[in-house]
Amino acid sequence: MHIGLIIDEERLMHEHIMLNRLSIGLIDEGAQLTRLVPEEISIPDLDLGEHRVALATRVAYPARVPLWMHRRRAQNLIKLMEKSTPDVLYAVGEYAWQLGMDLAKWIECPLALDVWTSSLIPNCPTGRAAQNIAAYIVSTNSVSRLLSKKVDSALISTIPIGVPLPGEPRKVLAELNQFISIAVIGSGRDLSSYRTVLTSLKQITQKFPQVQIFLELRGSHSHDIWRLAQELELLPVLSTITDAAQHRQLLLHCDVFILPERTGRMRSLLLEAMALGLVVIAHAEPALELLGDQKTSALVKKATVEAWTNQVLQLLRHPDEARQLGESARDYVSNHHRSSQHVTNLMETFDKILHGGALSFVAS
């Protein structure tokens, strides 16, 4: 089976490590893989990282072209792949969808679209625009339910993102009296949620002055969030990072992950933190079923400073309870989000597309 994996820049920036693992896993399963990635990659380290997947053919494509150039772009790429064209295409990232549909039309092969968050559902192609789409691949049951209202549920394949499971969990809060590290991870879109969480953390630092905070700052409100931290006099205990995905080694040495927003977005970084047994505290998030209250995470049901403060204090004052929660989260990842199962599920879906079954494809 020859798989054409088309990745847009946004997904490449935030999930390149997971996508590299996925690529290697597909090759290990016997697939021939061609990776199509944007030629305008804006972060040099990512470009170097792409070349490390040496067993996969790498084809760079111009991501930003006007509408009238779409056909020519597809035809140029087909020429580059003419010695061996893919049997199936898998477009990861919304800005890879159009290229996937163009290539699928000219190669006459099936296309699978990755719908990794519910916010993409309104933009999912349907009708004649979707004639070559043989599968919509989603990572959570909640996205599957919402998407089934728009497309045939037989075309939806729910495949949880996978991560490797470290041999041993980290002992979180092991130096509770000297150092507590808290990562605050999010898109920076919901300014109100950040105001609530940062105000709560100000109260936490008054009781636990050894707290150090690592704050992801990206999005349109990043400067506003930084100014809020300044007003709360948190800067002496605060370090900011622009993109958590580029600092995962640092963040995975933290004790606590705080998710201040409801985004409904699955991130492999969160799964990696859970696989290590880190403590996750989040706003109640129905769209992410992996966040189970007191099973895999501690959920804040009311978006108030008092609720956040009480939840964080409860875990800091009872570190054994916090570690048990982290170990439970690790077990959940082991059972539901293994990298090997991610690869197996994708291969099975592509096989069904090509050879019949619930996701069969017939060229038009």
Side-chain angles (χ1 to χ4, degrees):
M1 181 191 305
H2 185 177
I3 302 167
L5 177 60
I6 311 168
I7 312 169
D8 74 5
E9 185 172 9
E10 191 274 340
R11 290 286 80 200
L12 197 59
M13 288 177 63
H14 298 302
E15 293 292 354
H16 64 285
I17 291 179
M18 182 273 290
L19 291 167
N20 282 356
R21 282 196 302 259
L22 178 63
S23 297
I24 293 168
L26 292 171
I27 293 169
D28 287 345
E29 286 294 311
Q32 179 183 350
L33 187 67
T34 296
R35 290 159 60 92
L36 292 92
V37 298
E39 61 186 21
E40 308 94 344
I41 297 173
S42 59
I43 300 178
D45 288 345
L46 286 185
D47 194 33
L48 291 172
E50 281 298 296
H51 287 293
R52 294 192 187 108
V53 190
L55 295 178
T57 300
R58 182 181 189 270
V59 177
Y61 68 86
R64 302 176 183 88
V65 297
L67 181 63
W68 59 270
M69 284 287 291
H70 283 181
R71 176 176 176 176
R72 179 178 296 180
R73 176 178 65 174
Q75 291 176 334
N76 288 341
L77 290 171
I78 292 169
K79 288 181 181 178
L80 292 174
M81 299 185 291
E82 62 183 354
K83 291 183 180 180
S84 180
T85 55
D87 302 309
V88 60
L89 296 168
Y90 180 31
V92 177
E94 183 181 4
Y95 296 106
W97 290 359
Q98 184 60 55
L99 177 57
M101 290 187 289
D102 293 339
L103 288 174
K105 175 183 176 181
W106 290 100
I107 298 175
E108 294 188 339
C109 75
L111 168 68
L113 295 187
D114 183 69
V115 186
W116 63 278
T117 175
S118 59
S119 63
L120 294 179
I121 293 176
N123 299 332
C124 284
T126 57
R128 293 190 63 182
Q131 62 181 351
N132 288 95
I133 298 175
Y136 298 83
I137 295 175
V138 303
S139 58
T140 66
N141 291 325
S142 59
V143 174
S144 176
R145 286 192 295 269
L146 292 171
L147 183 57
S148 66
K149 298 176 182 178
K150 184 170 183 177
V151 304
D152 185 350
S153 60
L155 295 175
I156 301 172
S157 185
T158 303
I159 302 178
I161 292 173
V163 296
L165 192 75
E168 295 291 334
R170 283 194 55 242
K171 186 177 181 181
V172 298
L173 302 174
E175 302 177 41
L176 185 63
N177 295 325
Q178 287 80 38
F179 185 77
I180 301 169
S181 53
I182 297 177
V184 181
I185 305 302
S187 67
R189 295 179 180 179
D190 187 347
L191 185 58
S192 176
S193 292
Y194 277 85
R195 185 183 305 278
T196 301
V197 167
L198 291 178
T199 303
S200 169
L201 288 175
K202 175 61 178 178
Q203 296 184 7
I204 298 297
T205 59
Q206 292 171 343
K207 299 179 183 296
F208 289 87
Q210 67 272 38
V211 163
Q212 292 291 316
I213 302 166
F214 298 90
L215 175 65
E216 181 179 28
L217 277 185
R218 59 188 178 95
S220 58
H221 291 301
S222 58
H223 184 64
D224 296 324
I225 295 170
W226 185 88
R227 289 189 62 182
L228 175 60
Q230 182 182 43
E231 292 170 8
L232 291 168
E233 299 181 346
L234 281 172
L235 297 188
V237 299
L238 182 73
S239 298
T240 61
I241 54 177
T242 55
D243 184 355
Q246 310 309 317
H247 300 275
R248 48 202 330 127
Q249 292 306 314
L250 167 68
L251 297 175
L252 292 175
H253 281 84
C254 289
D255 298 299
V256 178
F257 262 46
I258 286 180
L259 311 180
E261 304 167 293
R262 282 187 179 133
T263 65
R265 298 187 172 198
M266 178 71 76
R267 300 177 71 172
S268 62
L269 176 62
L270 172 61
L271 290 171
E272 290 173 18
M274 294 170 69
L276 276 167
L278 306 191
V279 181
V280 176
I281 307 176
H283 202 299
E285 177 60 276
L288 290 179
E289 52 260 24
L290 83 162
L291 297 179
D293 193 22
Q294 301 308 318
K295 294 180 181 178
T296 61
S297 61
L299 297 187
V300 176
K301 297 179 178 63
K302 294 183 179 180
T304 65
V305 173
E306 181 182 15
W308 276 101
T309 302
N310 290 342
Q311 190 64 268
V312 176
L313 287 177
Q314 172 68 19
L315 294 170
L316 296 187
R317 287 170 174 166
H318 301 88
D320 289 339
E321 181 181 309
R323 292 181 196 119
Q324 289 176 3
L325 185 61
E327 289 173 5
S328 178
R330 175 179 163 88
D331 289 341
Y332 183 90
V333 171
S334 177
N335 292 329
H336 300 282
H337 292 277
R338 298 295 290 265
S339 289
S340 56
Q341 194 60 49
H342 187 185
V343 171
T344 298
N345 290 342
L346 267 180
M347 289 292 287
E348 289 177 352
T349 296
F350 295 150
D351 186 66
K352 288 179 181 179
I353 289 172
L354 293 171
H355 302 117
L359 300 170
S360 60
F361 172 82
V362 178
S364 56

